[in-house]
């Protein structure tokens, strides 16, 4: 029952995938995540994030303690392994993640929805800065792709990088187009126009006093 109610997270999925390879301790998992550049798709910026996620997986009986090892001069380390419930849960999570687009709440659409809070000139300035950072991200992605090709890394292991690069390219084109519209004045606004739109699209006034209305 615990396994079915365990909350899915990108880091939890990554840890289960590592343990599907072989039993290992938390520090080894952190090393592999960084060495394989998976820290670009899962957040391990917080030092204890891997340990905290492992604790949740352990309580949900998706992983179990396989051994405790002590190396001279180092603290004792707990080695974890995947349980049958963990393997089944991982398979179910991957099926859902691949087949069903997630309802996510990234920050950028929130900022776009609030663009009218700024002047068109300031909005264009900020978006141009974003475009510059997206270009830098693409340059890094291209460099990483060349490095992977030089290493002979099979495409299977860089699919997430291809996806991220495709998203970045699409976003850059869209942001550049939006900046062009703002710079040319084809997309613009001012306070008078915003007030007129707000009045036209606002809810109709009624005689009902909301404070005393019966729910």
């Amino acid at each position: 029952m615990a396994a079915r109610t365990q909350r899915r997270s990108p880091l939890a999925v990554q840890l289960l995938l590592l343990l599907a390879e072989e039993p290992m301790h938390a520090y080894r998992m952190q090393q592999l995540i960084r060495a394989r550049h998976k820290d670009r798709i899962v957040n391990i910026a917080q030092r204890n994030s891997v340990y905290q996620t492992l604790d949740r997986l352990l309580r949900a009986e998706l992983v179990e303690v396989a051994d405790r090892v002590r190396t001279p001069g180092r603290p004792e380390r707990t080695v974890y392994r995947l349980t049958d419930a963990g393997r089944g849960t991982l398979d179910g999570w991957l099926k859902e993640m691949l087949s069903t687009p997630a309802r996510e709440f990234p920050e950028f659409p929130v900022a776009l929805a609030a663009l009218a809070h700024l002047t068109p000139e300031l909005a264009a300035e900020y978006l141009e800065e974003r475009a510059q950072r997206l270009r830098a991200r693409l340059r890094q992605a291209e460099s990483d792709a060349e490095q992977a090709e030089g290493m002979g890394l099979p495409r299977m292991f860089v699919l997430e990088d291809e996806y991220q690069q495709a998203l970045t390219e699409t976003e850059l084109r869209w942001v550049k187009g939006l900046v062009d519209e703002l710079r040319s004045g084809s997309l613009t606004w001012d306070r008078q126009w915003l007030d007129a739109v707000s009045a036209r699209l606002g809810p109709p006034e009624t005689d009902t006093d909301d404070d005393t209305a019966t729910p």
Side-chain angles (χ1 to χ4, degrees):
M1 179 66 69
R4 288 196 294 271
T5 59
Q6 168 64 16
R7 178 174 59 86
R8 185 179 76 222
S9 72
L11 182 53
V13 172
Q14 185 61 45
L15 297 182
L16 292 183
L17 284 169
L18 289 172
L19 292 176
E21 297 179 16
E22 62 178 344
M24 63 184 75
H25 51 70
Y27 182 65
R28 175 63 174 163
M29 295 182 208
Q30 287 180 320
Q31 286 182 314
L32 287 175
I33 288 172
R34 291 194 174 95
R36 297 175 181 180
H37 297 160
K38 303 305 181 186
D39 52 337
R40 298 176 183 176
I41 57 174
V42 297
N43 186 2
I44 58 169
Q46 297 296 323
R47 184 176 180 181
N48 291 327
S49 56
V50 169
Y51 295 91
Q52 292 170 350
T53 302
L54 279 171
D55 284 342
R56 290 196 296 272
L57 296 174
L58 187 63
R59 291 195 299 270
E61 300 178 359
L62 303 185
V63 304
E64 63 185 7
V65 175
D67 197 5
R68 300 185 190 277
V69 296
R70 181 182 293 276
T71 304
R74 296 183 179 275
E76 182 181 80
R77 286 176 174 159
T78 301
V79 176
Y80 299 89
R81 65 185 169 208
L82 194 63
T83 64
D84 290 341
R87 192 175 301 276
T89 297
L90 174 60
D91 291 346
W93 282 354
L94 292 176
K95 177 179 183 292
E96 183 174 353
M97 293 165 68
L98 287 170
S99 64
T100 307
R103 189 183 180 203
E104 299 173 323
F105 300 92
E107 292 182 347
F108 189 44
V110 176
L112 290 171
L115 213 61
H117 179 74
L118 306 172
T119 64
E121 294 77 17
L122 197 55
E125 178 184 335
Y126 292 164
L127 287 167
E128 179 56 41
E129 290 182 18
R130 184 181 188 91
Q132 292 174 5
R133 291 185 170 93
L134 290 172
R135 292 187 190 98
R137 185 179 294 178
L138 281 177
R139 288 193 295 270
Q140 182 62 54
E142 292 165 359
S143 174
D144 292 342
E146 291 176 1
Q147 182 179 7
E149 184 177 357
M151 295 169 56
L153 195 64
R155 181 169 177 245
M156 172 63 65
F157 298 104
V158 294
L159 290 177
E160 71 272 23
D161 295 333
E162 284 187 18
Y163 173 72
Q164 295 287 358
Q165 184 172 347
L167 289 182
T168 303
E169 290 172 347
T170 300
E171 181 180 338
L172 178 57
R173 285 195 299 270
W174 188 85
V175 169
K176 286 170 60 179
L178 184 56
V179 169
D180 289 343
E181 291 183 69
L182 290 167
R183 297 291 192 201
S184 69
S186 61
L187 176 63
T188 190
W189 59 88
D190 56 29
R191 177 48 54 191
Q192 182 179 1
W193 181 83
L194 291 171
D195 289 343
V197 171
S198 178
R200 180 166 56 88
L201 299 181
E205 294 185 5
T206 66
D207 295 332
T208 302
D209 186 346
D210 291 338
D211 293 335
T212 59
T214 301

